[in-house]
Amino acid sequence: MERVLSLPADVASLAPRDLADAARLVGAVPADATAVEFRLDLADAPIPVTRLLELDPRPAILTYRTAAEGGRFDGTGSEYRRLSLEAYAAGATVDVEHTSGLLDQPGLFPDRGRVVVSHHAPFGLPEDWAGRLETMRTTGARAVKLVAGAADLMASLRIAGIQRGERDGAAVFPMGPASAPGRILSAFFGAALVYGPVERQTAPGQIPLRELLSVYGIRRSRSIEALYGIVG
């Protein structure tokens, strides 16, 4: 069962403990979410992928985020490959870390329209971020995602500012305690993917998807000409 991920996508990010918990969380996903991400590296035990895809008709992104990129998957490279290919074979869109090298192999993931290629740098924006983005684009993935740690507000805004100059299919946004303003601005600047958790955060600094849509109105078109801070 294949479902095409439409861009830009407002993604409800879920951290299910097991299949029953996944079903409960899916029931709390905002109606206007356009896709659902299952962070399987955060599960207590393996969850059958095909059963997950039966829980919701929207496109599903299945993610095994490695410990090196801020997740909890600590298996071998072979295990990462096997699990990612199983998710792909089931019809899901798969988040594949670029550093895994899997997308350098032409025979793997033949339909790159069901692939999100990602790179997460938890400790700050890499100096070679521009080159990384271009290299990730050569994989032919449906979307390219670069996420970098932000230690303070200025770093958060700088990372979001990169999104302003990016073309379709790219999502660049910050992570970490100071990242909230940058995440909102990245969405305003046209990020191809906007993630918001349901109930439990799947990455530091996230804002619930319901708030991104209803409070901040990330899908209401607007031009950002100036930023103001309020100190009280």
Side-chain angles (χ1 to χ4, degrees):
M1 178 171 54
E2 297 183 7
R3 300 169 217 163
V4 177
L5 180 67
S6 297
L7 302 179
D10 300 320
V11 185
S13 187
L14 311 183
R17 296 186 176 93
D18 50 35
L19 184 61
D21 192 40
R24 182 184 63 81
L25 290 171
V26 163
V29 170
D32 41 4
T34 58
V36 177
E37 179 194 40
F38 294 99
R39 279 290 302 275
L40 297 181
D41 57 299
L42 302 178
D44 294 338
I47 303 175
V49 171
T50 53
R51 297 290 301 279
L52 281 178
L53 299 185
E54 295 170 353
L55 296 177
D56 192 275
R58 285 168 283 207
I61 303 173
L62 270 56
T63 301
Y64 295 93
R65 181 72 57 238
T66 62
E69 298 205 6
R72 295 185 187 172
F73 181 80
D74 58 359
T76 65
S78 296
E79 290 174 314
Y80 182 84
R81 171 190 169 118
R82 175 181 62 81
L83 292 169
S84 298
L85 288 173
E86 286 178 0
Y88 175 85
T93 292
V94 184
D95 184 312
V96 180
E97 293 179 0
H98 187 246
T99 55
S100 71
L102 296 179
L103 296 177
D104 296 333
Q105 303 175 44
L108 298 184
F109 309 99
D111 177 9
R112 297 291 169 92
R114 288 194 291 113
V115 172
V116 172
V117 59
S118 67
H119 179 73
H120 294 70
F123 301 109
L125 184 68
E127 292 185 3
D128 62 344
W129 62 265
R132 285 180 184 270
L133 282 173
E134 288 304 314
T135 302
M136 287 194 287
R137 283 192 178 95
T138 65
T139 65
R142 175 76 169 157
V144 173
K145 181 172 66 167
L146 175 64
V147 187
D152 52 38
L153 178 60
M154 291 307 297
S156 177
L157 298 181
R158 180 192 175 203
I159 294 165
I162 294 171
Q163 178 63 57
R164 193 170 203 167
E166 291 302 313
R167 55 186 185 269
D168 293 344
V172 182
F173 53 88
M175 64 187 295
S179 65
R183 285 177 174 267
I184 296 167
L185 284 174
S186 176
F188 287 154
F189 292 154
L193 300 166
V194 176
Y195 291 81
V198 173
E199 189 175 295
R200 295 188 288 273
Q201 282 193 346
T202 57
Q206 285 180 326
I207 300 169
L209 184 62
R210 192 177 304 278
E211 292 184 18
L212 288 171
L213 294 168
S214 63
V215 176
Y216 297 101
I218 59 171
R219 289 304 165 215
R220 295 198 301 269
S221 179
R222 70 194 73 188
S223 176
I224 307 298
E225 298 179 355
L227 298 177
Y228 297 87
I230 299 176
V231 179

